[in-house]
Amino acid sequence: MAAIKEEGLISIVKGNMVVIVGRRACYMSYVAQRLLEGLKAYPTMYEVSEVFVARMTLIRNLGRILSENDKTLVAPMFLVVFIGGKLLGGLDRLIAIHVTGKLIPMLKAAGAIWL
Amino acid sequence: MMELFFGYLEENLPHYKYTPDVMNSAPTQVAASGRLSIYEPNHQISMWGDSFKADSSQNTSASTIVEGEVKLSDKLEDNSHEALRQSKKFDQEANRPSDKVLRRLAQNREAARKSRLRKKAYVQQLESSRIKLSQLEQELGRARQQGLYIGGNLGDSALGFSGSVNSGVAAFEMEYGHWVEEQNRQICELRTGLQAHVSDIELRILVESGMAHYDNLFRIKTIAAKSDVFYLMSGMWKTTAERFFLWIGGFRPSELLKVLSSQLEPLTEQQVVAVYNLQQSSQQAEDALSQGMDKLQQTLAETLTSDPLDLSGTNNYMEQMTVAVGKLEALVSFVNQADHLRQQTLQQMYKILTTRQAARGLLALGDYFQRLRALSSLWAARPREPA
């Protein structure tokens, strides 16, 4: 994975057909990558630093921490898959979409694969 | 021999009860334990009872059977004198020492003979209990392999070093045992329902509970994965033949679909295409996960590899170990993702099929796993040449 600075994240996501945003050496990111590559859709891998992850997790949990409503923290947010500039979700969502046969049409629509 | 005497009396002669004022004017303390009780229907036994009473007067604590027996055995030799004294009381009016001596000796012989008989019976009882116990253990082993998980697998686990019982694992074993029992029951219901040609509405109920039952399995597996992922990955909770097909802590979805497809004819063209696509998708997801596992193995091996002779690397040891531990935690994600794939595959299959087809599919699936479990039992019971 090429380490790209976080400022470029939005332009990367918008400018590429398939983007996987994940931590370095994350095995689930690797699984997502292999799955998409198996479909001949070659995703752009965007690596986020641990500092970034901590910051994002804090922001996401801020509401809960401040309101003291719900003490449970959210599930890990990385990896995240973007197809055609739109957020898809994590690995389980990617697999679910694929099993229900919706992934390939989505990739075709984004221009990532063609028959 | 004498050590067994007292407990033996209590167990085998339950009608003997202690009556405190029988033939003894000497003050005695009744032993505090309720088990120390003797009732004398005849004079012979009363001699022993009296010996014991004399003995119990010297017991200040509440006696357990063991203590009482030990003390009794210690005292019996000494008590011969006491018995002699007390027997003198009974025969005071007769006043014939030789008779008394003879009678005492006869009584001793009689009591000793009875004691030996009782000991023999007691030992026989122990022997038969031992045989029964080993029979039960064998039955348990057999029942276990037939898929009835009773009491857990931990005894014959190959992971001998994990001596402590993980409560999460124990809980999972128990729940999985119940799951298998319920599964067997549901399979029976499906079979009778399909053979009896029940209505689609009734079939639908059966199918929905079948699907919900699989959801339960994945739910308890998720909890177990947090507790001990290696236990799930080892497949020790499954039977031997099932373990042969193990893939990331469970069954391989594409294999499952192959098992089902042949059983579901006739399918519409649309269904055939959908099933084929599903098979492709699940195979692709499986491949991606398998590649991830290979990568994990590779990097873990690399993390643990370092020059053992490199003294300057000693600081790295803890670092490496910490990294390695972090990598192992990824296994939890792998098992969760694999289970998620299994669940998705089953649910997609349910969407493709009609109610009747889904019922046949669930039956075929459950039957397949039952056969695998039966195979495990047969394998375990196969005749082998002596080593």
Side-chain angles (χ1 to χ4, degrees):
Chain A
M1 260 192 247
I4 307 170
K5 290 222 168 62
E6 277 107 39
E7 296 104 55
L9 179 54
I10 293 175
S11 61
I12 295 284
V13 164
K14 291 226 163 110
N16 287 278
M17 293 168 289
V18 186
V19 183
I20 297 178
V21 182
R23 309 153 102 130
R24 185 155 58 99
C26 169
Y27 293 98
M28 296 302 126
S29 300
Y30 183 73
V31 171
Q33 183 183 4
R34 299 304 292 155
L35 178 57
L36 287 164
E37 284 175 3
L39 301 175
K40 305 280 195 277
Y42 297 94
T44 308
M45 304 301 291
Y46 185 101
E47 184 185 305
V48 290
S49 64
E50 291 304 310
V51 174
F52 185 73
V53 171
R55 215 185 302 147
M56 291 305 295
T57 311
L58 178 64
I59 292 170
R60 273 188 91 188
N61 290 314
L62 214 50
R64 290 169 205 241
I65 295 168
L66 291 179
S67 68
E68 289 180 36
N69 255 347
D70 184 6
K71 293 291 184 192
T72 60
L73 298 177
V74 296
M77 49 180 305
F78 294 104
L79 57 110
V80 187
V81 179
F82 290 88
I83 296 182
K86 294 209 185 82
L87 180 92
L88 183 66
L91 180 60
D92 47 354
R93 182 109 169 89
L94 184 67
I95 288 176
I97 297 275
H98 189 39
V99 165
T100 52
K102 300 199 187 105
L103 182 59
I104 291 185
M106 219 181 268
L107 289 171
K108 282 187 189 162
I113 56 174
W114 52 89
L115 246 180
Chain B
M1 179 204 308
M2 288 309 173
E3 304 90 285
L4 291 176
F5 175 72
F6 200 66
Y8 208 77
L9 261 189
E10 184 262 331
E11 298 213 58
N12 292 280
L13 310 169
H15 50 288
Y16 287 111
K17 277 203 298 240
Y18 182 69
T19 50
D21 50 349
V22 166
M23 288 184 276
N24 189 3
S25 50
T28 55
Q29 282 173 309
V30 177
S33 166
R35 297 181 101 195
L36 303 176
S37 48
I38 302 177
Y39 160 70
E40 308 90 23
N42 58 38
H43 194 55
Q44 258 177 353
I45 303 297
S46 75
M47 299 314 295
W48 285 100
D50 291 342
S51 310
F52 185 73
K53 274 184 284 181
D55 184 53
S56 69
S57 67
Q58 290 148 35
N59 284 355
T60 49
S61 59
S63 313
T64 61
I65 286 294
V66 171
E67 280 176 38
E69 287 167 2
V70 167
K71 286 199 169 72
L72 185 63
S73 66
D74 286 344
K75 301 266 186 231
L76 274 172
E77 300 309 313
D78 305 330
N79 279 352
S80 55
H81 298 295
E82 300 231 61
L84 187 57
R85 251 189 290 124
Q86 292 186 13
S87 65
K88 274 188 193 154
K89 286 182 205 155
F90 307 131
D91 292 325
Q92 256 161 9
E93 62 276 11
N95 202 21
R96 284 190 278 177
S98 59
D99 264 4
K100 271 184 273 187
V101 168
L102 284 174
R103 177 158 39 185
R104 185 178 67 79
L105 289 173
Q107 284 165 354
N108 279 357
R109 272 198 301 277
E110 185 58 38
R113 189 179 68 84
K114 286 195 179 164
S115 182
R116 277 193 296 274
L117 285 175
R118 284 172 205 136
K119 184 195 179 182
K120 193 177 169 195
Y122 176 68
V123 167
Q124 276 172 353
Q125 209 179 37
L126 279 180
E127 287 290 314
S128 63
S129 296
R130 196 173 60 80
I131 292 168
K132 192 169 181 209
L133 181 65
S134 67
Q135 278 174 351
L136 280 176
E137 279 174 353
Q138 276 180 359
E139 252 187 67
L140 193 63
R142 261 178 264 132
R144 222 179 252 166
Q145 284 173 332
Q146 278 162 19
L148 304 173
Y149 287 79
I150 309 159
N153 238 347
L154 302 166
D156 43 34
S157 166
L159 311 167
F161 55 85
S162 55
S164 60
V165 174
N166 185 332
S167 66
V169 163
F172 175 76
E173 289 234 332
M174 196 181 66
E175 284 180 319
Y176 183 68
H178 295 150
W179 189 89
V180 170
E181 279 172 28
E182 174 63 18
Q183 177 78 340
N184 291 337
R185 193 192 64 79
Q186 284 189 2
I187 295 304
C188 263
E189 268 192 325
L190 273 170
R191 193 176 283 128
T192 46
L194 282 167
Q195 281 168 346
H197 300 289
V198 298
S199 69
D200 267 20
I201 300 163
E202 285 178 65
L203 274 183
R204 192 184 167 86
I205 295 170
L206 290 175
V207 167
E208 302 237 314
S209 42
M211 294 299 291
H213 197 52
Y214 277 107
D215 285 345
N216 273 344
L217 176 62
F218 298 125
R219 187 181 50 82
I220 63 176
K221 282 181 78 183
T222 307
I223 296 168
K226 288 190 196 131
S227 187
D228 188 345
V229 67
F230 277 101
Y231 174 74
L232 271 187
M233 293 274 302
S234 73
M236 289 311 293
W237 49 287
K238 286 194 175 229
T239 62
T240 43
E242 285 176 291
R243 242 175 271 153
F244 178 58
F245 290 95
L246 201 72
W247 175 78
I248 312 187
F251 62 81
R252 205 181 258 276
S254 55
E255 279 300 317
L256 213 71
L257 291 175
K258 283 181 202 153
V259 164
L260 286 184
S261 315
S262 52
Q263 303 278 331
L264 295 173
E265 273 123 45
L267 294 170
T268 69
E269 265 229 32
Q270 205 179 11
Q271 285 179 324
V272 169
V273 170
V275 170
Y276 174 77
N277 286 339
L278 178 58
Q279 214 154 357
Q280 288 285 95
S281 309
S282 65
Q283 184 69 60
Q284 284 157 348
E286 275 172 45
D287 288 346
L289 283 166
S290 294
Q291 287 174 54
M293 287 289 283
D294 289 344
K295 179 93 174 173
L296 176 58
Q297 274 192 347
Q298 182 197 329
T299 56
L300 186 62
E302 282 167 14
T303 308
L304 293 175
T305 304
S306 72
D307 183 3
L309 295 175
D310 177 16
L311 294 172
S312 65
T314 46
N315 285 338
N316 288 339
Y317 182 83
M318 276 321 294
E319 253 182 63
Q320 279 178 323
M321 284 301 169
T322 311
V323 169
V325 168
K327 287 193 189 297
L328 285 183
E329 279 165 10
L331 276 175
V332 179
S333 306
F334 274 107
V335 171
N336 287 341
Q337 291 295 337
D339 277 346
H340 177 72
L341 175 62
R342 291 171 186 121
Q343 195 172 26
Q344 289 294 318
T345 307
L346 282 173
Q347 283 173 359
Q348 181 65 7
M349 200 58 177
Y350 177 46
K351 279 187 211 163
I352 295 172
L353 300 174
T354 64
T355 305
R356 190 157 294 267
Q357 286 169 328
R360 279 163 55 202
L362 280 175
L363 175 59
L365 205 56
D367 185 58
Y368 177 72
F369 284 119
Q370 277 178 344
R371 283 166 195 249
L372 271 179
R373 288 184 209 119
L375 179 62
S376 304
S377 307
L378 287 173
W379 172 255
R382 77 195 185 284
R384 277 180 260 198
E385 286 181 15

